[in-house]
Amino acid sequence: MNWTLEVVTLPVRDVDRTKAFYESIGFNPDHDHTVSEEIRFVQMTPPGSNCSIAFGKGLTDKVPGSTGPIIICVTDINAARDQLLAAGVDPGEVDVQPWGHFVYFADPDGNQWSVQYLPYRDN
């Protein structure tokens, strides 16, 4: 039996601002559905990923900005950094460690992300 991680829920303050942010860094808007005045569900997926993020209104009682770090893997850390910079996000310099290369950023609410490139996977 497989156990697949499909969706990670993020607590946010402003759904539209968050959606625009994730669109700007390349996430695909899969769903944006208002169920009622109390519930709005937005699901977005990073390019090439089988796991999405979800946020909205009435989805979680967590404090906005309290999630993370969420680790997302890429095949080119410099291209990922450039994409973030082009979207107006400052991920800092590439952090090269013996086990991988990383850049870090936060969404508008402060939910933390770690972008990871593992060079040994290229072998």
Side-chain angles (χ1 to χ4, degrees):
M1 174 177 71
N2 292 333
W3 291 29
T4 61
L5 182 60
E6 300 287 335
V7 180
V8 175
T9 303
L10 302 178
V12 303
R13 288 178 189 85
D14 184 325
V15 178
D16 292 322
R17 177 184 68 172
T18 301
K19 183 178 179 187
F21 172 81
Y22 284 106
E23 283 180 313
S24 78
I25 63 171
F27 283 42
N28 183 62
D30 304 321
H31 301 286
D32 186 343
H33 187 74
T34 300
V35 177
S36 66
E37 286 186 30
E38 294 81 31
I39 299 175
R40 178 178 173 194
F41 178 82
V42 178
Q43 183 173 332
M44 301 186 78
T45 305
S49 181
N50 290 322
C51 185
S52 302
I53 58 170
F55 54 88
K57 180 179 175 186
L59 301 184
T60 181
D61 58 0
K62 288 187 175 182
V63 174
S66 63
T67 298
I70 300 169
I71 299 172
I72 188 166
C73 296
V74 297
T75 55
D76 185 330
I77 196 68
N78 293 309
R81 182 178 181 275
D82 289 346
Q83 186 172 338
L84 290 167
L85 287 168
V89 177
D90 183 6
E93 297 300 319
V94 175
D95 177 15
V96 177
Q97 298 294 327
W99 57 89
H101 305 176
F102 303 86
V103 292
Y104 310 97
F105 72 95
D107 72 12
D109 285 295
N111 294 302
Q112 301 291 312
W113 289 83
S114 174
V115 182
Q116 169 182 277
Y117 164 66
L118 301 174
Y120 61 81
R121 286 188 177 170
D122 291 341
N123 297 331

